[in-house]
Amino acid sequence: MYDMQLSDRSEELLEKVHPKLAEIVRETRDISEAEFEVVEGYRSQKLADTMYEKGVSLNATSVHSYGQAVSLIVSVAGIPCTNTRAYEELAMSMKYAAENVNAGIKWGAARHIDNFCEYEGEPDEAMSDFCALQLKKNGEILDIAPGYFELVLD
């Protein structure tokens, strides 16, 4: 629809994830104006341990290790972007893509929502709610990952 394609590297990474998740990412590429690439798919146990030890993963047994999660990076004018605003369109596109292929997703910027496809609000509201919950529970925001998407199968 928007005549953008995933890079060869993104396609390589999608080869090792659950086929339904790969289908969601490819469908997102077809329907979204967002410029994005896959930066992580399947994660080996060694890498999972390293990520956990460095404090950049919530646990040593990541959903990535089962091929049921991807990490995506959004770019704006070719420049990788970490601002959460840049991920709102991507999150909505992933939601619509998951619905199109009869699956669900969990979004790393709103982990309190079990299936983002069932959420009726806007992405910024979901992120704000998640941050508020973390602040209330922990006194700080521990982990917000707007480029993280996890497959939800019913």
Side-chain angles (χ1 to χ4, degrees):
M1 181 180 210
Y2 290 102
D3 198 33
M4 288 189 268
Q5 295 182 356
L6 292 169
S7 69
D8 290 344
R9 178 70 178 138
S10 289
E11 287 291 351
E12 254 179 61
L13 291 168
L14 290 177
E15 287 177 14
K16 292 185 177 180
V17 301
H18 191 286
K20 189 63 87 170
L21 181 56
E23 187 178 3
I24 292 168
V25 174
R26 289 183 183 110
E27 174 74 4
T28 300
R29 174 64 291 138
D30 289 343
I31 66 173
S32 180
E33 290 182 10
E35 185 182 340
F36 72 92
E37 291 295 335
V38 180
V39 293
E40 186 179 16
Y42 171 78
R43 183 182 292 173
S44 70
Q45 189 58 54
K46 182 179 178 182
L47 180 57
D49 290 342
T50 300
M51 300 282 276
Y52 180 68
E53 288 166 10
K54 295 285 186 183
V56 295
S57 182
L58 294 177
N59 53 51
T61 308
S62 167
V63 178
H64 280 284
S65 299
Y66 301 102
Q68 293 191 342
V70 292
S71 295
L72 309 176
I73 187 87
V74 169
S75 294
V76 176
I79 300 169
C81 187
T82 58
N83 186 298
T84 56
R85 286 271 181 221
Y87 288 84
E88 291 176 19
E89 179 183 342
L90 180 61
M92 290 304 288
S93 295
M94 286 287 286
K95 172 183 175 174
Y96 296 142
E99 291 170 345
N100 288 349
V101 302
N102 298 312
I105 56 160
K106 188 168 201 153
W107 183 33
R111 293 178 194 264
H112 65 298
I113 301 169
D114 290 332
N115 185 347
F116 194 61
C117 292
E118 297 172 356
Y119 181 71
E120 295 182 13
E122 294 297 320
D124 61 330
E125 296 167 351
M127 280 191 287
S128 293
D129 291 347
F130 180 62
C131 290
L133 286 169
Q134 284 199 337
L135 283 170
K136 183 176 181 178
K137 181 179 177 184
N138 306 312
E140 62 183 331
I141 299 170
L142 298 175
D143 184 49
I144 185 164
Y148 174 87
F149 295 92
E150 183 179 311
L151 179 64
V152 175
L153 296 171
D154 293 325

